[in-house]
Amino acid sequence: MGLAGPASPWVARAAAGPMRVGFLTVKTGPLASGGLQMEQGLTLYLKERNNTLAGRPVELFTGDSAGAPAVARSKMQELVERDNIACLIGPLATAEALAIDDYIRDKQIPTLSVAAAEDLTQRKANPWFVRADSSSAQCSYPMGDYAAKELKYKRVAMIADDLAYGYELNAGFQRAFEDAGGKVVQKLWPPLNAPDYGTYIAQLKTDVDAIFMGFAGSNGLKFLRQYKEYGGKTPLLAGMTAADESLLRQMGDEAIGTLSTSFYSAQLDNPSNKKLVDGMARDYKVDPGFYAAATYTNGAVLEAALKTIGADIENKAALIKALRESKVEDTCRGPVRFDKYGNVVGNVYIRRVEKKDGKLVNAVIKTYPNVSQFWTYDADEFLKKPSVQSRYLSGQPLHRAVRLHEIHVLELGASAGR
């Protein structure tokens, strides 16, 4: 009898049928390259386990948000109210996550997100939200530190998509760079769907040591190509998606030497990453990038949590508690654990684009271990400062705020995500 008790939840749930897991991704629009890799990474993780986690089969329900916050909201409602999902993996974009934030709270849906929306694990932390990849600024802090301390850069210009992710990502670079003695002297914000970057490239200052670019989806590829076509000579530093592996295969030698920062590189030498890289090459003929690694890691975190609760995925309170308490040593990105707000603490890598065996790769040149969303700052003091998200919600130009603390805090409202 003593052995039967602990095992019974696992047995009961295994007999209850498949776990119903929702997946919200992007299959159309400028973010589709990332959304496709999200799907490939998650599909591969489940395939390697015969679509079974912790002894129960997984039934995956997929929604395409098209990268639009309003669509993300409607698709999320369908996943919950029609498909009766027990948890969600996704969405991709910061604005999408903000658009479904209140719905996740109301319906109490454990969510393993790829979206980097900072406030969801900071000032307005969502208790049902777990992020195993990175907040928007989390990888940018190390790049700001590296640019100032090791590259000895003094003056940098910045350019990024005119949306929440771009603001937050670039703000992290600026804060760490300026705290280390550098100065950001220019900020440009092209729209996400900008057809051409020529007018913005013409505005970029030339008397700077580098340009930091914070583009999402395929925009990093588009900007880099046009920058080189216009004869740009200033060194480029990239945020975690602008030089992603999903884009490198479309880039030429003009990308060689570009430095970027990310929680992941396909060049990482660990057993889990080797399985991911080999599987992506076999099934999809591509290297995994940021987005594939994110969902592959989410799969590992979900599996670890399910094992501790007997695969009782329908027990929402037990699942979110187990997710947040997870410590998984062997993910493709390296060891991960979570802070009390549900955000990952893990390695961040400085990478350089190099050519290896005839293809472009992100070679790791420096590892920053155990990086949190608060970088080296005291968390309590950090959270007393205003949020960059206020620029996104208020519509006030971020470039008017020279420093982070000059941005006024606004409450998240119904317009969040638009």
Side-chain angles (χ1 to χ4, degrees):
M1 290 294 292
L3 294 177
S8 58
W10 189 303
V11 174
R13 288 299 175 185
M19 296 183 284
R20 302 172 74 86
V21 176
F23 178 50
L24 193 57
T25 189
V26 180
K27 295 188 177 185
T28 52
L31 302 179
S33 62
L36 176 61
Q37 280 233 337
M38 279 177 61
E39 187 169 39
Q40 291 169 343
L42 182 58
T43 300
L44 181 62
Y45 191 87
L46 294 174
K47 177 183 176 182
E48 290 171 351
R49 289 152 182 82
N50 296 316
N51 290 308
T52 299
L53 296 179
R56 286 184 67 183
V58 175
E59 189 171 0
L60 194 66
F61 297 86
T62 301
D64 175 16
S65 70
V71 177
R73 174 102 181 182
S74 65
K75 292 296 182 182
M76 180 64 180
Q77 289 175 308
E78 288 179 8
L79 290 170
V80 173
E81 297 167 21
R82 183 190 66 191
D83 300 320
N84 195 30
I85 63 168
C87 74
L88 176 75
I89 296 176
L92 182 154
T94 292
E96 295 177 292
L98 292 171
I100 65 174
D101 175 34
D102 62 334
Y103 189 80
I104 291 170
R105 297 173 192 258
D106 181 56
K107 300 298 182 180
Q108 299 184 345
I109 303 298
T111 299
L112 296 97
S113 185
V114 174
E118 294 193 343
D119 265 359
L120 298 189
T121 57
Q122 291 183 11
R123 296 162 185 84
K124 299 182 183 297
N126 186 326
W128 298 96
F129 189 92
V130 174
R131 179 165 41 227
D133 48 4
S134 169
S135 71
S136 300
Q138 193 166 354
C139 294
S140 300
Y141 293 121
M143 179 59 90
D145 182 82
Y146 185 83
K149 294 180 179 177
E150 301 201 28
L151 298 178
K152 307 300 181 183
Y153 289 163
K154 300 298 183 184
R155 290 164 51 86
V156 167
M158 300 198 306
I159 183 168
D161 294 314
D162 187 19
L163 42 65
Y165 172 70
Y167 314 143
E168 293 178 347
L169 183 147
N170 280 31
F173 174 88
Q174 179 179 359
R175 185 170 185 179
F177 183 63
E178 294 190 342
D179 282 352
K183 179 67 176 177
V184 171
V185 298
Q186 183 184 32
K187 303 174 190 177
L188 298 177
W189 308 103
L192 178 64
N193 293 304
D196 184 89
Y197 290 114
T199 58
Y200 296 95
I201 292 170
Q203 296 176 57
L204 284 167
K205 294 181 180 293
T206 57
D207 59 342
V208 293
D209 298 310
I211 296 167
F212 181 79
M213 51 178 181
F215 294 108
S218 58
N219 286 347
L221 167 65
K222 186 166 66 172
F223 174 82
L224 189 144
R225 279 181 174 170
Q226 293 182 10
Y227 182 72
K228 296 299 182 179
E229 288 171 0
Y230 278 83
K233 302 294 184 183
T234 305
L236 296 175
L237 306 177
M240 54 187 172
T241 50
D244 187 63
E245 279 85 351
S246 63
L247 304 176
L248 285 183
R249 59 194 175 93
Q250 303 174 57
M251 294 180 179
D253 288 352
E254 70 276 2
I256 293 175
T258 299
L259 297 180
S260 65
T261 178
S262 182
F263 67 87
Y264 176 75
S265 167
Q267 296 295 296
L268 292 177
D269 185 13
N270 68 62
S272 180
N273 190 48
K274 188 176 189 311
K275 287 185 68 175
L276 171 59
V277 171
D278 290 349
M280 290 287 287
R282 179 191 64 242
D283 292 356
Y284 305 112
K285 307 299 185 289
V286 296
D287 280 340
F290 170 102
Y291 300 99
T295 50
Y296 200 81
T297 301
N298 277 331
V301 172
L302 177 59
E303 183 176 31
L306 288 169
K307 287 179 178 179
T308 69
I309 61 170
D312 188 4
I313 196 172
E314 292 81 8
N315 187 334
K316 297 177 182 179
L319 177 59
I320 194 65
K321 183 175 185 291
L323 288 170
R324 290 187 163 211
E325 292 177 353
S326 295
K327 294 182 180 179
V328 189
E329 294 294 325
D330 57 346
T331 80
C332 62
R333 60 162 293 175
V336 301
R337 57 185 174 86
F338 298 89
D339 64 22
K340 67 179 182 180
Y341 302 98
N343 194 79
V344 69
V345 178
N347 294 345
V348 171
Y349 307 98
I350 304 298
R351 317 172 307 176
R352 180 174 54 232
V353 177
E354 298 178 358
K355 182 166 279 189
K356 181 179 179 181
D357 298 328
K359 70 176 182 179
L360 298 181
V361 300
N362 278 315
V364 174
I365 59 176
K366 184 177 178 67
T367 300
Y368 284 82
N370 298 312
V371 176
S372 87
Q373 63 178 330
F374 303 111
W375 182 226
T376 59
Y377 309 114
D378 176 81
D380 291 337
E381 290 301 315
F382 185 102
L383 293 175
K384 291 177 183 177
K385 300 288 180 68
S387 166
V388 172
Q389 198 55 265
S390 62
R391 156 59 177 95
Y392 176 63
L393 295 174
S394 68
Q396 297 174 358
L398 185 62
H399 64 265
R400 294 181 184 172
V402 178
R403 300 288 295 184
L404 226 56
H405 63 260
E406 293 177 304
I407 307 171
H408 299 293
V409 180
L410 295 180
E411 292 294 323
L412 283 167
S415 62
R418 291 200 295 271

